[in-house]
Amino acid sequence: MPDTPTFDQITNLDFQPSDGYCWFMFRITYCRARRFYDELKDRQDGFLLWFPCEKRVTFSQGRKYEELTPMFKGNLFIFSTFKQALALTRRGDGPEWVDFVYDRTCKNEAGRLEPLRIPFKQMCSFVRAANVMHPWAHIVSEEDIKFRPGGLVRITEGLFQGVVGRVARVHGQTRVVVTIKGVGHYSTAYIPKASLVPYAEDLDN
């Protein structure tokens, strides 16, 4: 079994995952995602778990407060082989309240939905951007995004250096949006145009 990957590796676009490894997303019911993560995070069994949180800013009585909240309620990400991920779900040896998030766009030969497999390079930028935990960077809806014409860009400096996505107008600011098919859109904070360069490689793998 390959060594457990590190976050430095899984946020590096040049990293080559071991054969069979990719990202899966778990659906966990009854608000147990954090508990499940805490139970598994130190096992070091060749897989890597990610429980993304985001920093939210609130104001009360003239004071500013920041708090960390789960980015996705009831979801957890795992970088592993299918066999490893399956063993942690109700279809394997895991709890009844843990299952895959399924790909709703296609079915297998038996007419059943397959677990969503997230391209490694898409997740590189998603994890890299989200782990900055900037209070103005967060998941955004389709309605909040106005993509600029053009292809992918890479951020060359600042907190979000190395993140690859598309330039968009979000809440009146120029930002870079990372799109994960089947998961959602994540927006960085404001990014100046001088910090962006074109990125020509395909992220769908």
Side-chain angles (χ1 to χ4, degrees), residues 42-74:
D42 297 324
R43 280 179 47 173
Q44 301 294 314
D45 286 343
F47 58 78
L48 183 67
L49 294 170
W50 184 48
F51 183 64
C53 292
E54 56 188 353
K55 192 176 291 186
R56 292 190 179 274
V57 177
T58 58
F59 296 88
S60 177
Q61 298 180 344
R63 292 187 177 183
K64 175 182 174 181
Y65 297 90
E66 294 183 353
E67 62 177 352
L68 291 180
T69 59
M71 192 177 297
F72 302 96
K73 292 183 178 179

PDB file of all heavy atoms in Angstrom, residues 42-74:
ATOM      1  N   ASP A  42      -6.452   9.939  12.114  1.00  0.00           N
ATOM      2  CA  ASP A  42      -5.124   9.508  12.554  1.00  0.00           C
ATOM      3  C   ASP A  42      -4.793   8.060  12.212  1.00  0.00           C
ATOM      4  O   ASP A  42      -3.790   7.520  12.678  1.00  0.00           O
ATOM      5  CB  ASP A  42      -4.983   9.710  14.073  1.00  0.00           C
ATOM      6  CG  ASP A  42      -5.075  11.175  14.466  1.00  0.00           C
ATOM      7  OD1 ASP A  42      -4.580  12.015  13.706  1.00  0.00           O
ATOM      8  OD2 ASP A  42      -5.655  11.471  15.528  1.00  0.00           O
ATOM      9  N   ARG A  43      -5.611   7.418  11.395  1.00  0.00           N
ATOM     10  CA  ARG A  43      -5.378   6.006  11.092  1.00  0.00           C
ATOM     11  C   ARG A  43      -4.189   5.771  10.174  1.00  0.00           C
ATOM     12  O   ARG A  43      -3.524   4.748  10.254  1.00  0.00           O
ATOM     13  CB  ARG A  43      -6.634   5.388  10.468  1.00  0.00           C
ATOM     14  CG  ARG A  43      -7.668   5.032  11.534  1.00  0.00           C
ATOM     15  CD  ARG A  43      -8.928   4.449  10.965  1.00  0.00           C
ATOM     16  NE  ARG A  43      -8.720   3.405   9.982  1.00  0.00           N
ATOM     17  CZ  ARG A  43      -9.721   2.673   9.474  1.00  0.00           C
ATOM     18  NH1 ARG A  43     -10.954   2.882   9.902  1.00  0.00           N
ATOM     19  NH2 ARG A  43      -9.492   1.770   8.568  1.00  0.00           N
ATOM     20  N   GLN A  44      -3.913   6.748   9.262  1.00  0.00           N
ATOM     21  CA  GLN A  44      -2.755   6.635   8.378  1.00  0.00           C
ATOM     22  C   GLN A  44      -2.734   5.299   7.619  1.00  0.00           C
ATOM     23  O   GLN A  44      -1.739   4.597   7.569  1.00  0.00           O
ATOM     24  CB  GLN A  44      -1.458   6.800   9.185  1.00  0.00           C
ATOM     25  CG  GLN A  44      -1.345   8.125   9.923  1.00  0.00           C
ATOM     26  CD  GLN A  44      -1.252   9.314   8.984  1.00  0.00           C
ATOM     27  OE1 GLN A  44      -0.495   9.295   8.025  1.00  0.00           O
ATOM     28  NE2 GLN A  44      -2.016  10.356   9.251  1.00  0.00           N
ATOM     29  N   ASP A  45      -3.866   4.958   7.035  1.00  0.00           N
ATOM     30  CA  ASP A  45      -3.996   3.690   6.314  1.00  0.00           C
ATOM     31  C   ASP A  45      -3.816   3.839   4.814  1.00  0.00           C
ATOM     32  O   ASP A  45      -4.364   3.073   4.033  1.00  0.00           O
ATOM     33  CB  ASP A  45      -5.373   3.064   6.605  1.00  0.00           C
ATOM     34  CG  ASP A  45      -5.463   2.482   8.003  1.00  0.00           C
ATOM     35  OD1 ASP A  45      -4.402   2.275   8.614  1.00  0.00           O
ATOM     36  OD2 ASP A  45      -6.580   2.237   8.485  1.00  0.00           O
ATOM     37  N   GLY A  46      -3.059   4.831   4.382  1.00  0.00           N
ATOM     38  CA  GLY A  46      -2.846   5.018   2.952  1.00  0.00           C
ATOM     39  C   GLY A  46      -3.841   5.942   2.305  1.00  0.00           C
ATOM     40  O   GLY A  46      -3.720   6.257   1.119  1.00  0.00           O
ATOM     41  N   PHE A  47      -4.859   6.409   3.049  1.00  0.00           N
ATOM     42  CA  PHE A  47      -5.812   7.368   2.500  1.00  0.00           C
ATOM     43  C   PHE A  47      -5.691   8.691   3.263  1.00  0.00           C
ATOM     44  O   PHE A  47      -5.144   8.750   4.361  1.00  0.00           O
ATOM     45  CB  PHE A  47      -7.253   6.849   2.571  1.00  0.00           C
ATOM     46  CG  PHE A  47      -7.731   6.508   3.962  1.00  0.00           C
ATOM     47  CD1 PHE A  47      -8.134   7.493   4.856  1.00  0.00           C
ATOM     48  CD2 PHE A  47      -7.805   5.189   4.383  1.00  0.00           C
ATOM     49  CE1 PHE A  47      -8.581   7.176   6.127  1.00  0.00           C
ATOM     50  CE2 PHE A  47      -8.253   4.861   5.646  1.00  0.00           C
ATOM     51  CZ  PHE A  47      -8.648   5.859   6.524  1.00  0.00           C
ATOM     52  N   LEU A  48      -6.211   9.744   2.655  1.00  0.00           N
ATOM     53  CA  LEU A  48      -6.167  11.070   3.261  1.00  0.00           C
ATOM     54  C   LEU A  48      -7.574  11.640   3.309  1.00  0.00           C
ATOM     55  O   LEU A  48      -8.280  11.650   2.299  1.00  0.00           O
ATOM     56  CB  LEU A  48      -5.263  11.996   2.451  1.00  0.00           C
ATOM     57  CG  LEU A  48      -5.072  13.408   3.006  1.00  0.00           C
ATOM     58  CD1 LEU A  48      -4.294  13.366   4.320  1.00  0.00           C
ATOM     59  CD2 LEU A  48      -4.331  14.284   2.001  1.00  0.00           C
ATOM     60  N   LEU A  49      -7.983  12.097   4.476  1.00  0.00           N
ATOM     61  CA  LEU A  49      -9.301  12.693   4.645  1.00  0.00           C
ATOM     62  C   LEU A  49      -9.203  14.207   4.660  1.00  0.00           C
ATOM     63  O   LEU A  49      -8.220  14.774   5.145  1.00  0.00           O
ATOM     64  CB  LEU A  49      -9.926  12.227   5.961  1.00  0.00           C
ATOM     65  CG  LEU A  49     -10.280  10.752   6.081  1.00  0.00           C
ATOM     66  CD1 LEU A  49     -10.661  10.429   7.511  1.00  0.00           C
ATOM     67  CD2 LEU A  49     -11.420  10.393   5.142  1.00  0.00           C
ATOM     68  N   TRP A  50     -10.246  14.853   4.135  1.00  0.00           N
ATOM     69  CA  TRP A  50     -10.325  16.314   4.187  1.00  0.00           C
ATOM     70  C   TRP A  50     -11.732  16.716   4.583  1.00  0.00           C
ATOM     71  O   TRP A  50     -12.709  16.330   3.943  1.00  0.00           O
ATOM     72  CB  TRP A  50      -9.966  16.910   2.827  1.00  0.00           C
ATOM     73  CG  TRP A  50      -9.925  18.404   2.829  1.00  0.00           C
ATOM     74  CD1 TRP A  50      -9.299  19.212   3.741  1.00  0.00           C
ATOM     75  CD2 TRP A  50     -10.530  19.282   1.875  1.00  0.00           C
ATOM     76  NE1 TRP A  50      -9.478  20.528   3.415  1.00  0.00           N
ATOM     77  CE2 TRP A  50     -10.215  20.608   2.273  1.00  0.00           C
ATOM     78  CE3 TRP A  50     -11.286  19.079   0.720  1.00  0.00           C
ATOM     79  CZ2 TRP A  50     -10.659  21.725   1.555  1.00  0.00           C
ATOM     80  CZ3 TRP A  50     -11.712  20.181   0.004  1.00  0.00           C
ATOM     81  CH2 TRP A  50     -11.400  21.480   0.418  1.00  0.00           C
ATOM     82  N   PHE A  51     -11.823  17.459   5.680  1.00  0.00           N
ATOM     83  CA  PHE A  51     -13.100  17.973   6.185  1.00  0.00           C
ATOM     84  C   PHE A  51     -13.047  19.496   6.066  1.00  0.00           C
ATOM     85  O   PHE A  51     -12.578  20.178   6.982  1.00  0.00           O
ATOM     86  CB  PHE A  51     -13.306  17.537   7.635  1.00  0.00           C
ATOM     87  CG  PHE A  51     -14.625  17.957   8.230  1.00  0.00           C
ATOM     88  CD1 PHE A  51     -15.812  17.472   7.725  1.00  0.00           C
ATOM     89  CD2 PHE A  51     -14.665  18.833   9.306  1.00  0.00           C
ATOM     90  CE1 PHE A  51     -17.031  17.847   8.269  1.00  0.00           C
ATOM     91  CE2 PHE A  51     -15.874  19.212   9.870  1.00  0.00           C
ATOM     92  CZ  PHE A  51     -17.055  18.720   9.350  1.00  0.00           C
ATOM     93  N   PRO A  52     -13.453  20.046   4.931  1.00  0.00           N
ATOM     94  CA  PRO A  52     -13.247  21.478   4.683  1.00  0.00           C
ATOM     95  C   PRO A  52     -14.139  22.371   5.546  1.00  0.00           C
ATOM     96  O   PRO A  52     -15.334  22.129   5.703  1.00  0.00           O
ATOM     97  CB  PRO A  52     -13.601  21.631   3.201  1.00  0.00           C
ATOM     98  CG  PRO A  52     -14.538  20.512   2.917  1.00  0.00           C
ATOM     99  CD  PRO A  52     -14.105  19.374   3.792  1.00  0.00           C
ATOM    100  N   CYS A  53     -13.510  23.397   6.098  1.00  0.00           N
ATOM    101  CA  CYS A  53     -14.236  24.410   6.852  1.00  0.00           C
ATOM    102  C   CYS A  53     -13.944  25.770   6.230  1.00  0.00           C
ATOM    103  O   CYS A  53     -12.963  25.940   5.510  1.00  0.00           O
ATOM    104  CB  CYS A  53     -13.802  24.415   8.314  1.00  0.00           C
ATOM    105  SG  CYS A  53     -14.290  22.928   9.234  1.00  0.00           S
ATOM    106  N   GLU A  54     -14.798  26.727   6.500  1.00  0.00           N
ATOM    107  CA  GLU A  54     -14.581  28.078   6.015  1.00  0.00           C
ATOM    108  C   GLU A  54     -14.791  29.085   7.131  1.00  0.00           C
ATOM    109  O   GLU A  54     -15.509  28.814   8.100  1.00  0.00           O
ATOM    110  CB  GLU A  54     -15.472  28.396   4.814  1.00  0.00           C
ATOM    111  CG  GLU A  54     -16.947  28.213   5.035  1.00  0.00           C
ATOM    112  CD  GLU A  54     -17.741  28.369   3.751  1.00  0.00           C
ATOM    113  OE1 GLU A  54     -17.163  28.753   2.728  1.00  0.00           O
ATOM    114  OE2 GLU A  54     -18.955  28.093   3.769  1.00  0.00           O
ATOM    115  N   LYS A  55     -14.130  30.218   6.997  1.00  0.00           N
ATOM    116  CA  LYS A  55     -14.185  31.262   8.017  1.00  0.00           C
ATOM    117  C   LYS A  55     -15.330  32.211   7.690  1.00  0.00           C
ATOM    118  O   LYS A  55     -15.359  32.820   6.624  1.00  0.00           O
ATOM    119  CB  LYS A  55     -12.860  32.008   8.067  1.00  0.00           C
ATOM    120  CG  LYS A  55     -12.689  32.922   9.261  1.00  0.00           C
ATOM    121  CD  LYS A  55     -11.304  33.554   9.268  1.00  0.00           C
ATOM    122  CE  LYS A  55     -10.232  32.525   9.558  1.00  0.00           C
ATOM    123  NZ  LYS A  55      -8.888  33.165   9.696  1.00  0.00           N
ATOM    124  N   ARG A  56     -16.265  32.333   8.589  1.00  0.00           N
ATOM    125  CA  ARG A  56     -17.400  33.234   8.397  1.00  0.00           C
ATOM    126  C   ARG A  56     -17.251  34.447   9.304  1.00  0.00           C
ATOM    127  O   ARG A  56     -16.847  34.323  10.459  1.00  0.00           O
ATOM    128  CB  ARG A  56     -18.716  32.517   8.682  1.00  0.00           C
ATOM    129  CG  ARG A  56     -19.063  31.433   7.656  1.00  0.00           C
ATOM    130  CD  ARG A  56     -20.469  30.922   7.837  1.00  0.00           C
ATOM    131  NE  ARG A  56     -20.815  29.915   6.858  1.00  0.00           N
ATOM    132  CZ  ARG A  56     -21.285  30.173   5.644  1.00  0.00           C
ATOM    133  NH1 ARG A  56     -21.473  31.428   5.276  1.00  0.00           N
ATOM    134  NH2 ARG A  56     -21.581  29.202   4.807  1.00  0.00           N
ATOM    135  N   VAL A  57     -17.593  35.604   8.767  1.00  0.00           N
ATOM    136  CA  VAL A  57     -17.501  36.856   9.510  1.00  0.00           C
ATOM    137  C   VAL A  57     -18.906  37.341   9.859  1.00  0.00           C
ATOM    138  O   VAL A  57     -19.780  37.414   8.982  1.00  0.00           O
ATOM    139  CB  VAL A  57     -16.764  37.926   8.683  1.00  0.00           C
ATOM    140  CG1 VAL A  57     -16.738  39.256   9.431  1.00  0.00           C
ATOM    141  CG2 VAL A  57     -15.351  37.470   8.371  1.00  0.00           C
ATOM    142  N   THR A  58     -19.136  37.644  11.114  1.00  0.00           N
ATOM    143  CA  THR A  58     -20.412  38.206  11.552  1.00  0.00           C
ATOM    144  C   THR A  58     -20.134  39.446  12.397  1.00  0.00           C
ATOM    145  O   THR A  58     -19.042  39.614  12.950  1.00  0.00           O
ATOM    146  CB  THR A  58     -21.227  37.192  12.368  1.00  0.00           C
ATOM    147  OG1 THR A  58     -20.450  36.763  13.509  1.00  0.00           O
ATOM    148  CG2 THR A  58     -21.600  35.981  11.528  1.00  0.00           C
ATOM    149  N   PHE A  59     -21.120  40.299  12.492  1.00  0.00           N
ATOM    150  CA  PHE A  59     -21.003  41.516  13.284  1.00  0.00           C
ATOM    151  C   PHE A  59     -22.146  41.557  14.293  1.00  0.00           C
ATOM    152  O   PHE A  59     -23.299  41.275  13.952  1.00  0.00           O
ATOM    153  CB  PHE A  59     -21.051  42.756  12.386  1.00  0.00           C
ATOM    154  CG  PHE A  59     -19.891  42.853  11.427  1.00  0.00           C
ATOM    155  CD1 PHE A  59     -19.955  42.255  10.170  1.00  0.00           C
ATOM    156  CD2 PHE A  59     -18.738  43.524  11.790  1.00  0.00           C
ATOM    157  CE1 PHE A  59     -18.888  42.349   9.288  1.00  0.00           C
ATOM    158  CE2 PHE A  59     -17.657  43.616  10.910  1.00  0.00           C
ATOM    159  CZ  PHE A  59     -17.737  43.028   9.670  1.00  0.00           C
ATOM    160  N   SER A  60     -21.819  41.883  15.521  1.00  0.00           N
ATOM    161  CA  SER A  60     -22.824  41.969  16.575  1.00  0.00           C
ATOM    162  C   SER A  60     -22.434  43.071  17.542  1.00  0.00           C
ATOM    163  O   SER A  60     -21.311  43.083  18.065  1.00  0.00           O
ATOM    164  CB  SER A  60     -22.940  40.628  17.314  1.00  0.00           C
ATOM    165  OG  SER A  60     -23.869  40.718  18.380  1.00  0.00           O
ATOM    166  N   GLN A  61     -23.345  44.001  17.750  1.00  0.00           N
ATOM    167  CA  GLN A  61     -23.131  45.123  18.665  1.00  0.00           C
ATOM    168  C   GLN A  61     -21.823  45.863  18.373  1.00  0.00           C
ATOM    169  O   GLN A  61     -21.053  46.198  19.284  1.00  0.00           O
ATOM    170  CB  GLN A  61     -23.154  44.619  20.118  1.00  0.00           C
ATOM    171  CG  GLN A  61     -24.489  44.010  20.511  1.00  0.00           C
ATOM    172  CD  GLN A  61     -24.518  43.513  21.937  1.00  0.00           C
ATOM    173  OE1 GLN A  61     -23.476  43.337  22.567  1.00  0.00           O
ATOM    174  NE2 GLN A  61     -25.718  43.294  22.459  1.00  0.00           N
ATOM    175  N   GLY A  62     -21.579  46.059  17.069  1.00  0.00           N
ATOM    176  CA  GLY A  62     -20.410  46.812  16.662  1.00  0.00           C
ATOM    177  C   GLY A  62     -19.106  46.044  16.669  1.00  0.00           C
ATOM    178  O   GLY A  62     -18.046  46.616  16.395  1.00  0.00           O
ATOM    179  N   ARG A  63     -19.156  44.768  16.975  1.00  0.00           N
ATOM    180  CA  ARG A  63     -17.938  43.959  17.010  1.00  0.00           C
ATOM    181  C   ARG A  63     -17.932  42.936  15.875  1.00  0.00           C
ATOM    182  O   ARG A  63     -18.981  42.467  15.452  1.00  0.00           O
ATOM    183  CB  ARG A  63     -17.807  43.223  18.344  1.00  0.00           C
ATOM    184  CG  ARG A  63     -17.541  44.131  19.532  1.00  0.00           C
ATOM    185  CD  ARG A  63     -17.256  43.313  20.772  1.00  0.00           C
ATOM    186  NE  ARG A  63     -16.923  44.159  21.913  1.00  0.00           N
ATOM    187  CZ  ARG A  63     -16.579  43.687  23.114  1.00  0.00           C
ATOM    188  NH1 ARG A  63     -16.530  42.375  23.315  1.00  0.00           N
ATOM    189  NH2 ARG A  63     -16.277  44.524  24.093  1.00  0.00           N
ATOM    190  N   LYS A  64     -16.718  42.634  15.405  1.00  0.00           N
ATOM    191  CA  LYS A  64     -16.536  41.665  14.328  1.00  0.00           C
ATOM    192  C   LYS A  64     -16.141  40.313  14.917  1.00  0.00           C
ATOM    193  O   LYS A  64     -15.245  40.234  15.768  1.00  0.00           O
ATOM    194  CB  LYS A  64     -15.442  42.155  13.377  1.00  0.00           C
ATOM    195  CG  LYS A  64     -15.070  41.194  12.265  1.00  0.00           C
ATOM    196  CD  LYS A  64     -13.947  41.786  11.431  1.00  0.00           C
ATOM    197  CE  LYS A  64     -13.421  40.812  10.395  1.00  0.00           C
ATOM    198  NZ  LYS A  64     -12.307  41.379   9.607  1.00  0.00           N
ATOM    199  N   TYR A  65     -16.807  39.262  14.458  1.00  0.00           N
ATOM    200  CA  TYR A  65     -16.515  37.915  14.941  1.00  0.00           C
ATOM    201  C   TYR A  65     -16.224  36.999  13.752  1.00  0.00           C
ATOM    202  O   TYR A  65     -16.858  37.105  12.703  1.00  0.00           O
ATOM    203  CB  TYR A  65     -17.704  37.348  15.722  1.00  0.00           C
ATOM    204  CG  TYR A  65     -18.040  38.127  16.978  1.00  0.00           C
ATOM    205  CD1 TYR A  65     -18.952  39.179  16.932  1.00  0.00           C
ATOM    206  CD2 TYR A  65     -17.446  37.808  18.194  1.00  0.00           C
ATOM    207  CE1 TYR A  65     -19.272  39.894  18.071  1.00  0.00           C
ATOM    208  CE2 TYR A  65     -17.755  38.520  19.344  1.00  0.00           C
ATOM    209  CZ  TYR A  65     -18.663  39.557  19.279  1.00  0.00           C
ATOM    210  OH  TYR A  65     -18.959  40.272  20.412  1.00  0.00           O
ATOM    211  N   GLU A  66     -15.244  36.121  13.922  1.00  0.00           N
ATOM    212  CA  GLU A  66     -14.917  35.118  12.909  1.00  0.00           C
ATOM    213  C   GLU A  66     -15.098  33.738  13.516  1.00  0.00           C
ATOM    214  O   GLU A  66     -14.680  33.490  14.648  1.00  0.00           O
ATOM    215  CB  GLU A  66     -13.472  35.287  12.422  1.00  0.00           C
ATOM    216  CG  GLU A  66     -13.228  36.578  11.656  1.00  0.00           C
ATOM    217  CD  GLU A  66     -11.800  36.687  11.134  1.00  0.00           C
ATOM    218  OE1 GLU A  66     -10.980  35.814  11.503  1.00  0.00           O
ATOM    219  OE2 GLU A  66     -11.513  37.626  10.376  1.00  0.00           O
ATOM    220  N   GLU A  67     -15.713  32.844  12.762  1.00  0.00           N
ATOM    221  CA  GLU A  67     -15.890  31.478  13.228  1.00  0.00           C
ATOM    222  C   GLU A  67     -15.703  30.500  12.082  1.00  0.00           C
ATOM    223  O   GLU A  67     -15.958  30.832  10.923  1.00  0.00           O
ATOM    224  CB  GLU A  67     -17.270  31.281  13.861  1.00  0.00           C
ATOM    225  CG  GLU A  67     -18.431  31.518  12.908  1.00  0.00           C
ATOM    226  CD  GLU A  67     -19.776  31.237  13.547  1.00  0.00           C
ATOM    227  OE1 GLU A  67     -19.798  30.717  14.667  1.00  0.00           O
ATOM    228  OE2 GLU A  67     -20.804  31.536  12.897  1.00  0.00           O
ATOM    229  N   LEU A  68     -15.226  29.309  12.417  1.00  0.00           N
ATOM    230  CA  LEU A  68     -15.062  28.258  11.419  1.00  0.00           C
ATOM    231  C   LEU A  68     -16.301  27.378  11.393  1.00  0.00           C
ATOM    232  O   LEU A  68     -16.749  26.899  12.441  1.00  0.00           O
ATOM    233  CB  LEU A  68     -13.828  27.410  11.732  1.00  0.00           C
ATOM    234  CG  LEU A  68     -12.471  28.088  11.554  1.00  0.00           C
ATOM    235  CD1 LEU A  68     -11.352  27.114  11.905  1.00  0.00           C
ATOM    236  CD2 LEU A  68     -12.290  28.592  10.129  1.00  0.00           C
ATOM    237  N   THR A  69     -16.837  27.173  10.213  1.00  0.00           N
ATOM    238  CA  THR A  69     -18.010  26.321  10.054  1.00  0.00           C
ATOM    239  C   THR A  69     -17.756  25.340   8.919  1.00  0.00           C
ATOM    240  O   THR A  69     -16.991  25.629   7.995  1.00  0.00           O
ATOM    241  CB  THR A  69     -19.263  27.147   9.726  1.00  0.00           C
ATOM    242  OG1 THR A  69     -19.044  27.873   8.509  1.00  0.00           O
ATOM    243  CG2 THR A  69     -19.574  28.131  10.837  1.00  0.00           C
ATOM    244  N   PRO A  70     -18.360  24.149   8.966  1.00  0.00           N
ATOM    245  CA  PRO A  70     -18.175  23.184   7.868  1.00  0.00           C
ATOM    246  C   PRO A  70     -18.615  23.776   6.534  1.00  0.00           C
ATOM    247  O   PRO A  70     -19.651  24.428   6.442  1.00  0.00           O
ATOM    248  CB  PRO A  70     -19.080  22.014   8.289  1.00  0.00           C
ATOM    249  CG  PRO A  70     -19.193  22.130   9.763  1.00  0.00           C
ATOM    250  CD  PRO A  70     -19.194  23.610  10.050  1.00  0.00           C
ATOM    251  N   MET A  71     -17.815  23.556   5.512  1.00  0.00           N
ATOM    252  CA  MET A  71     -18.133  24.071   4.187  1.00  0.00           C
ATOM    253  C   MET A  71     -19.328  23.330   3.584  1.00  0.00           C
ATOM    254  O   MET A  71     -20.153  23.911   2.884  1.00  0.00           O
ATOM    255  CB  MET A  71     -16.903  23.936   3.284  1.00  0.00           C
ATOM    256  CG  MET A  71     -16.996  24.687   1.986  1.00  0.00           C
ATOM    257  SD  MET A  71     -15.465  24.528   1.031  1.00  0.00           S
ATOM    258  CE  MET A  71     -14.285  25.335   2.120  1.00  0.00           C
ATOM    259  N   PHE A  72     -19.392  22.027   3.831  1.00  0.00           N
ATOM    260  CA  PHE A  72     -20.495  21.203   3.337  1.00  0.00           C
ATOM    261  C   PHE A  72     -21.094  20.452   4.526  1.00  0.00           C
ATOM    262  O   PHE A  72     -20.391  19.712   5.207  1.00  0.00           O
ATOM    263  CB  PHE A  72     -20.007  20.176   2.308  1.00  0.00           C
ATOM    264  CG  PHE A  72     -19.329  20.781   1.119  1.00  0.00           C
ATOM    265  CD1 PHE A  72     -17.950  20.892   1.074  1.00  0.00           C
ATOM    266  CD2 PHE A  72     -20.071  21.235   0.038  1.00  0.00           C
ATOM    267  CE1 PHE A  72     -17.311  21.437  -0.020  1.00  0.00           C
ATOM    268  CE2 PHE A  72     -19.441  21.785  -1.063  1.00  0.00           C
ATOM    269  CZ  PHE A  72     -18.055  21.893  -1.097  1.00  0.00           C
ATOM    270  N   LYS A  73     -22.353  20.637   4.766  1.00  0.00           N
ATOM    271  CA  LYS A  73     -22.989  19.928   5.859  1.00  0.00           C
ATOM    272  C   LYS A  73     -23.186  18.464   5.474  1.00  0.00           C
ATOM    273  O   LYS A  73     -23.801  18.142   4.472  1.00  0.00           O
ATOM    274  CB  LYS A  73     -24.342  20.564   6.193  1.00  0.00           C
ATOM    275  CG  LYS A  73     -24.220  21.958   6.790  1.00  0.00           C
ATOM    276  CD  LYS A  73     -25.585  22.513   7.166  1.00  0.00           C
ATOM    277  CE  LYS A  73     -25.438  23.893   7.797  1.00  0.00           C
ATOM    278  NZ  LYS A  73     -26.757  24.475   8.163  1.00  0.00           N
ATOM    279  N   GLY A  74     -22.626  17.583   6.279  1.00  0.00           N
ATOM    280  CA  GLY A  74     -22.827  16.160   6.037  1.00  0.00           C
ATOM    281  C   GLY A  74     -21.945  15.559   4.971  1.00  0.00           C
ATOM    282  O   GLY A  74     -22.269  14.481   4.447  1.00  0.00           O
TER     283      GLY A  74
END
